[in-house]
Amino acid sequence: MSRTEKRRRIVVTASGALIAAILGAATQELLDTRLRLAAAVVVVVSLGTIASIAALMALVESRSTADAELVTEMRTATADHDRLTRSLGNEIRTLSQHIGMRVDTMMLSELNKATSVEDDRTVQLMLTATREIRILDLLLEDGQWPNDAIVQSHQDNAFDAFVEMLRQPVRPVAYKRVIQVSDPANSLRRARTGRLLKHCRDILALQQEKGHRASLRVTRRRFPFKFILVDDTGLVLQLQEYGGHGEELRVWGEVLVVDPGSQLIGVFRDIWDEIVDDPTTRTVTAADLPTADLPTAGVPAGAGTPDPDDCPLRRSG
């Protein structure tokens, strides 16, 4: 028997004995004295008082019991929640350790604030390559390159650092770039971004040096995005949006993924394989590039050397 139950029985027993004693005394008083009215009042008051005390004790006991049950339930629920939280946390940690995937983003506004190669996390990810870099790029029908929307002063330095890495004999990294165009038969003759064309010439020069480890191709436009595969563990997915004129496609932002398990990268690797095997995919040669140097996007043709503070930003990739 619990302590509370014992206390309740003691109160009830004592109350009963007290009521019986008062009733007996009051009855005798009613029989032996002329003050019957006063005795009756005493009986009623005494009975009411004892009943109130008993009711109060019952209420206190009821509330104590309810509080105890509530505390028990809260403790049980808290323990269950703690167990669930620990279990879920362990599952997440196990999954993270198993997959090891990390995701980062760089919006257009952030890309435009990059002032050095070290600030550009996309370039930094590309510079970690040890085996191969594959890029599926995008060129619009009018020859526009969506990357022209990214204003970066460090594009030349980034391209130079990237090409220098590819030329290092101690790091034989393969570099393959496929550009989606509206008319593969016309190749890159419609391209009107000078920096992209300069980089294409650098790729062709690398091809002369590295042979099959460097390649530049065009294919029919199928996907409205650009992606970069770094080895089989890194992915940069560049998403596009239409600009203020409604028809001008420009960079919206980049999603950087480190995927050691290749669960996500496998999807883009399959896309790459389909592109390479597509019958419209063809190799680019020097004859497929415009013969005249085009002005750099953002710098008008014939303009003099701009002030360093006015130089528009550019980036590699």
Side-chain angles (χ1 to χ4, degrees):
M1 182 182 300
S2 66
R3 182 180 301 175
T4 301
E5 182 66 20
K6 289 181 179 179
R7 186 169 62 249
R8 186 185 66 80
R9 291 191 177 184
I10 291 172
V11 171
V12 172
T13 302
S15 300
L18 184 57
I19 290 173
I22 293 175
L23 284 174
T27 301
Q28 185 65 34
E29 183 66 22
L30 286 171
L31 295 175
D32 298 338
T33 182
R34 290 176 294 178
L35 300 178
R36 291 188 296 273
L37 182 58
V41 172
V42 171
V43 171
V44 172
V45 173
S46 299
L47 290 175
T49 301
I50 294 173
S52 298
I53 294 174
L56 181 60
M57 291 298 297
L59 179 61
V60 171
E61 178 184 353
S62 175
R63 290 183 175 177
S64 298
T65 303
D67 291 343
E69 291 176 355
L70 180 60
V71 170
T72 301
E73 291 178 0
M74 290 180 63
R75 288 177 177 174
T76 301
T78 301
D80 292 341
H81 179 269
D82 289 342
R83 284 194 295 270
L84 179 60
T85 301
R86 287 194 298 270
S87 176
L88 182 60
N90 291 335
E91 291 294 335
I92 292 176
R93 283 189 292 272
T94 300
L95 186 62
S96 299
Q97 291 173 358
H98 177 69
I99 297 178
M101 186 181 297
R102 300 195 309 273
V103 180
D104 189 11
T105 59
M106 290 189 70
M107 305 307 294
L108 179 61
S109 59
E110 185 179 2
L111 291 168
N112 286 339
K113 292 178 182 178
T115 58
S116 67
V117 174
E118 288 73 20
D119 295 332
D120 192 326
R121 297 195 295 276
T122 295
V123 175
Q124 291 301 309
L125 179 59
M126 295 173 68
L127 293 177
T128 65
T130 59
R131 297 188 307 276
E132 185 177 50
I133 293 176
R134 290 171 283 185
I135 300 177
L136 179 65
D137 208 340
L138 179 64
L139 194 67
L140 303 185
E141 186 172 0
D142 61 354
Q144 176 203 353
W145 192 33
N147 278 48
D148 287 340
I150 304 175
V151 186
Q152 299 180 49
S153 60
H154 69 284
Q155 178 168 335
D156 288 337
N157 291 335
F159 268 135
D160 291 343
F162 182 57
V163 172
E164 181 181 355
M165 180 201 73
L166 295 173
R167 283 181 170 144
Q168 291 179 3
V170 295
R171 294 179 62 185
V173 178
Y175 177 41
K176 301 176 181 179
R177 193 181 197 109
V178 178
I179 302 177
Q180 301 178 83
V181 296
S182 58
D183 181 15
N186 199 38
S187 194
L188 295 176
R189 294 184 182 88
R190 294 181 180 176
R192 57 184 180 90
T193 300
R195 293 181 186 274
L196 173 62
L197 291 172
K198 179 181 181 299
H199 184 60
C200 288
R201 293 188 181 95
D202 289 339
I203 296 174
L204 295 179
L206 281 170
Q207 192 174 38
Q208 295 293 324
E209 300 174 18
K210 302 291 184 178
H212 67 280
R213 299 193 67 82
S215 67
L216 175 63
R217 287 170 284 189
V218 293
T219 190
R220 65 185 177 94
R221 192 169 65 238
R222 294 174 53 189
F223 300 98
F225 54 78
K226 167 183 175 178
F227 68 78
I228 303 172
L229 293 175
V230 181
D231 295 333
D232 284 324
T233 58
L235 167 68
V236 179
L237 177 60
Q238 186 183 93
L239 304 178
Q240 322 291 342
E241 68 172 348
Y242 285 102
H245 299 294
E247 298 180 355
E248 181 181 347
L249 201 63
R250 65 184 185 186
V251 175
W252 178 76
E254 294 180 342
V255 180
L256 287 68
V257 180
V258 176
D259 181 18
S262 298
Q263 285 87 347
L264 179 60
I265 288 181
V267 175
F268 292 90
R269 190 168 54 233
D270 291 341
I271 293 177
W272 176 270
D273 292 339
E274 287 185 15
I275 290 293
V276 170
D277 294 335
D278 192 292
T280 66
T281 301
R282 58 187 298 269
T283 299
V284 176
T285 65
D288 295 320
L289 302 177
T291 55
D293 290 336
L294 297 177
T296 299
V299 180
T305 303
D307 186 275
D309 294 334
D310 297 331
C311 287
L313 299 173
R314 291 288 182 265
R315 78 188 294 274
S316 71

